Amino acid sequence: MALNYSAAADPNHITFGARQGEVYDGVIEWSHDWFMAIAGKSSGKSLLGAASLEYWVSYWYDRVDIANYFVTSPTYNHAEQGMMQAFRERFAHWDGTWNLSRHEYTLPNGHTIFFRSADNPDCLEGLQWVRGGWLDEAGLCPYKIWKNAIGRAAANQAPLIITSTPYGMGWMYTELYVKYMAAVKNRSIEDPRKHDPQGYMRRDRGLVAMDEILLFRNWSSWERPGWDGDVELLKSTLGELELRGGFMGEFVQMEGLVFPDFSESNIVEPFDVPRHWVVTAGVDWGFSHPFGIVVRVHDPAGNCWQVDERLCRGLSSNDMVNIMADVQKTWNVRVFHCDNQKPEIILDAQRAGLHAIGVTKDVQYGISQHLNLIKSGRYKVTSNNIETINAYRGYHWPEPKDARSGPAKHPNHYLSDLMDANRYDTVGLQGFVVSNAMEHEAYTVDEYESGRKVYEWDPREHIERLHEGREEEVDYTFL
């Protein structure tokens, strides 16, 4: 891929052209704040990201004393399988120094490229003097990593590039593509009063059209010059959605979603919650993976709305309890339905004055009950819960390893944290409140089932009791 270094009067202005049959047959003029390259598998999009990174490094190399850059991937394993190969090829002649334990590459002049794993959404915290950022396979990353990337780039108005396969209709679709297309459509409408407000973003200089901020390009795997794969074999073998999403670079609903019935009809705008409505929360503990909380409000008729979410990583037990306390202070949560595998943290939460109880971790049962809730039409999510909406659109069952493999027992762990939290709240409201083998008197029980202590009652009756202030009739005994 050719880079027109002679035209480098602006560090954001990059000209890409075809070379040796790489990536894109034509020229891309990039002078926007952000560039989103969405393409099929093996389409060369990572080469585009590596070329952008090298351009920034070249531009700033002799112009500033301090410059940092960042590259994110869903995990370090993802990086090694794709992005790092493109990076090593592009930077082979730079004679930089690797610090493998810190995942950093230092150039001869001291400028540094930081490689980070987006499974920790806060991995960019503390990074300063940023001159460019590359988010590879961003469709597999939480929305928070994009927000943090914008924050890191803001001080120096550094450009950002996303290179990714679509991976369903998550945050890249809702927060970038939809708004970009709205801006493009607005240009064909002469009357500004009829413009779609989604097509604008508020900046210091006022409202700016999204297509002035973001450059979007997409192409299929076989549009990469030099592609020698069998396109007809792919078309005859793969399902339509898998072909369009995985190889044609189109935003389509993923196949194998755990909750395929979740749709736009389940998403509503935020609203003022009546004070008499009951508030509950689901909690998924996180140590090696993110800690998640979802907050729901319930009306007397049994309808519920998720109105808040928390997704954090790298927390201690005390940190998690403190976040629960903050959620309690904000929403006056009546009960936290928690993963029962950490009874010691549940007990800490109870000692802190929180009404926290453990619920069964039966994944198949929980999924079936939450799916029933979605199908019932009684469950909605407010649009500001972007991480949750993104998870619904990407949380899927893994593909069988071979033809002899049976159906998977558990979904892919990617994006599971807020989905698990939702599952616990749904199951908890149905009364499957479970003690653990830990010997403490966290719960009072009436019966045993399969060696576990269980409550059962109708969730609508339970919500009615909570609204009437009679939750003590359901013996949530804590401490």
Side-chain angles (χ1 to χ4, degrees):
M1 184 184 303
L3 290 175
N4 187 354
Y5 292 118
S6 62
D10 179 349
N12 287 23
H13 188 97
I14 305 178
T15 300
F16 295 111
R19 186 193 74 184
Q20 298 175 355
E22 288 183 345
V23 183
Y24 198 85
D25 189 11
V27 174
I28 299 176
E29 294 280 354
W30 177 19
S31 57
H32 297 63
D33 296 350
W34 309 330
F35 179 17
M36 184 165 69
I38 302 299
K41 299 174 182 178
S42 301
S43 58
K45 53 190 178 294
S46 292
L47 294 173
L48 198 62
S52 301
L53 182 62
E54 188 190 22
Y55 176 84
W56 301 325
V57 167
S58 299
Y59 181 87
W60 291 110
Y61 194 82
D62 295 319
R63 285 178 165 87
V64 294
D65 293 331
I66 303 175
N68 293 319
Y69 310 87
F70 63 80
V71 182
T72 66
S73 295
T75 65
Y76 288 121
N77 285 339
H78 274 92
E80 285 297 333
Q81 293 167 6
M83 175 270 293
M84 287 305 301
Q85 298 177 34
F87 174 83
R88 292 189 182 104
E89 177 184 336
R90 198 77 206 186
F91 281 78
H93 63 285
W94 278 90
D95 297 323
T97 303
W98 277 105
N99 185 324
L100 296 178
S101 63
R102 295 173 61 87
H103 304 284
E104 297 171 4
Y105 182 81
T106 303
L107 297 158
N109 68 343
H111 294 183
T112 304
I113 303 171
F114 295 84
F115 294 83
R116 293 293 180 258
S117 172
D119 59 356
N120 176 7
D122 297 314
C123 62
L124 300 178
E125 287 301 312
L127 193 58
Q128 300 182 32
W129 306 106
V130 171
R131 296 294 180 177
W134 171 20
L135 293 83
D136 189 52
E137 299 298 359
L140 291 175
C141 301
Y143 176 61
K144 188 176 181 179
I145 195 70
W146 172 245
K147 293 195 295 184
N148 287 343
I150 294 173
R152 293 299 99 193
N156 292 307
Q157 298 184 13
L160 300 172
I161 183 170
I162 288 174
T163 58
S164 185
T165 302
Y167 299 109
M169 302 171 72
W171 64 266
M172 292 193 308
Y173 175 78
T174 58
E175 302 306 306
L176 295 177
Y177 177 74
V178 169
K179 295 176 180 179
Y180 172 86
M181 294 306 297
V184 172
K185 183 178 179 180
N186 285 345
R187 296 194 181 281
S188 65
I189 301 174
E190 295 183 2
D191 187 350
R193 293 173 298 178
K194 297 180 180 180
H195 283 187
D196 185 341
Q198 284 194 104
Y200 296 93
M201 286 193 69
R202 188 169 297 281
R203 306 294 290 268
D204 287 345
R205 60 184 186 272
L207 290 177
V208 180
M210 189 65 171
D211 60 346
E212 295 179 23
I213 301 169
L214 171 72
L215 174 66
F216 171 75
R217 291 290 184 272
N218 76 311
W219 63 93
S220 68
S221 301
W222 47 86
E223 286 180 286
R224 170 181 175 172
W227 167 271
D228 58 1
D230 192 328
V231 178
E232 292 305 317
L233 178 62
L234 287 175
K235 290 181 177 180
S236 62
T237 304
L238 303 178
E240 180 186 358
L241 294 181
E242 186 177 2
L243 179 70
R244 291 172 59 196
F247 290 89
M248 297 178 68
E250 296 181 14
F251 286 106
V252 294
Q253 179 172 296
M254 288 184 70
E255 289 190 326
L257 290 178
V258 177
F259 300 110
D261 293 279
F262 184 88
S263 66
E264 292 294 330
S265 64
N266 295 99
I267 303 172
V268 298
E269 290 303 308
F271 59 94
D272 293 331
V273 178
R275 291 192 175 187
H276 67 282
W277 284 14
V278 170
V279 183
T280 64
V283 181
D284 181 51
W285 310 118
F287 294 94
S288 60
H289 59 91
F291 163 70
I293 298 180
V294 298
V295 179
R296 294 187 200 167
V297 297
H298 306 260
D299 70 8
N303 300 301
C304 61
W305 293 259
Q306 181 182 320
V307 293
D308 200 1
E309 63 186 8
R310 299 286 193 279
L311 190 65
C312 311
R313 183 169 176 152
L315 305 179
S316 66
S317 300
N318 287 338
D319 292 333
M320 288 185 267
V321 172
N322 288 338
I323 290 176
M324 292 171 67
D326 179 65
V327 170
Q328 164 66 28
K329 182 178 179 180
T330 302
W331 290 102
N332 190 27
V333 176
R334 188 68 60 87
V335 58
F336 290 88
H337 294 119
C338 311
D339 174 0
N340 74 316
Q341 297 300 299
K342 294 293 179 182
E344 67 277 15
I345 310 180
I346 294 175
L347 193 57
D348 287 342
Q350 293 171 348
R351 287 171 175 155
L354 303 173
H355 197 162
I357 59 175
V359 301
T360 178
K361 198 176 175 69
D362 188 322
V363 177
Q364 294 283 356
Y365 175 79
I367 288 174
S368 67
Q369 295 308 301
H370 191 58
L371 188 58
N372 288 340
L373 176 63
I374 293 172
K375 290 180 177 179
S376 73
R378 295 186 292 110
Y379 171 79
K380 308 290 182 183
V381 178
T382 55
S383 59
N384 55 324
N385 289 268
I386 295 174
E387 298 286 16
T388 298
I389 295 170
N390 184 54
Y392 275 117
R393 289 169 168 163
Y395 187 46
H396 63 281
W397 297 101
E399 296 180 3
K401 295 181 180 179
D402 52 57
R404 294 172 296 178
S405 301
K409 295 182 179 179
H410 300 287
N412 194 310
H413 191 67
Y414 160 67
L415 293 177
S416 66
D417 309 288
L418 293 175
M419 297 293 91
D420 289 345
N422 262 295
R423 177 162 53 87
Y424 298 138
D425 202 25
T426 297
V427 174
L429 287 167
Q430 291 182 326
F432 285 80
V433 180
V434 186
S435 77
N436 199 277
M438 187 97 171
E439 292 187 2
H440 60 73
E441 295 300 322
Y443 319 110
T444 299
V445 297
D446 296 327
E447 61 180 343
Y448 290 78
E449 179 179 286
S450 301
R452 300 177 303 178
K453 305 170 183 179
V454 183
Y455 286 121
E456 296 188 41
W457 68 89
D458 180 80
R460 296 195 187 191
E461 180 183 352
H462 176 47
I463 290 296
E464 182 180 346
R465 287 173 173 169
L466 292 175
H467 275 288
E468 293 175 358
R470 295 189 290 116
E471 67 273 17
E472 67 278 3
E473 293 186 14
V474 179
D475 191 11
Y476 279 132
T477 302
F478 66 106
L479 288 187

